[in-house]
Amino acid sequence: KVKSLFMDESVVTRFKNLSVTTQNSTPFKKLDNLSLSEQKLYHEVQKSQLRLEQERIDFEYISEHLENKPLKCKSSNLDNLIRTPLC
């Protein structure tokens, strides 16, 4: 099962100022591995032609929120987690 990080409405809303407008005419895809709320957000973002690249999200915000999320990984050290694939 896939566990998404930073793919929710609160993140898109909070960092909307970092979004860019795309001229993407890619048709909507059915993404079966997304939760219902993620699918809804995906469609809204596609319709609005916005793109928020996660690389632009503030590192402080990411580290703060990762520390509060239980991850089933071998390492709980954030530095190691960043250098290795998530679970």
Side-chain angles (χ1 to χ4, degrees):
K1 184 169 175 151
V2 175
K3 177 67 178 161
S4 299
L5 295 171
F6 308 108
M7 293 180 59
D8 58 40
E9 188 172 359
S10 66
V11 172
V12 171
T13 302
R14 180 178 178 136
F15 295 102
K16 189 170 186 169
N17 63 317
L18 300 177
S19 297
V20 294
T21 304
T22 65
Q23 299 301 319
N24 188 358
S25 61
T26 304
F28 292 123
K29 297 178 186 176
K30 184 166 180 6
L31 303 173
D32 295 326
N33 290 327
L34 296 181
S35 69
L36 290 176
S37 62
E38 290 169 344
Q39 287 179 27
K40 180 182 175 198
L41 182 61
Y42 167 73
H43 287 289
E44 290 174 12
V45 169
Q46 284 286 92
K47 281 192 284 189
S48 66
Q49 295 184 321
L50 289 179
R51 178 177 307 232
L52 174 60
E53 296 169 350
Q54 291 176 325
E55 296 86 357
R56 302 181 91 189
I57 297 173
D58 183 78
F59 183 76
E60 184 177 320
Y61 176 87
I62 292 172
S63 63
E64 180 180 303
H65 284 77
L66 279 179
E67 288 176 4
N68 295 326
K69 294 209 181 272
L71 297 173
K72 296 178 183 175
C73 296
K74 293 178 182 175
S75 173
S76 61
N77 182 320
L78 183 58
D79 290 333
N80 290 334
L81 187 61
I82 291 169
R83 288 190 212 107
T84 59
L86 286 176
C87 310

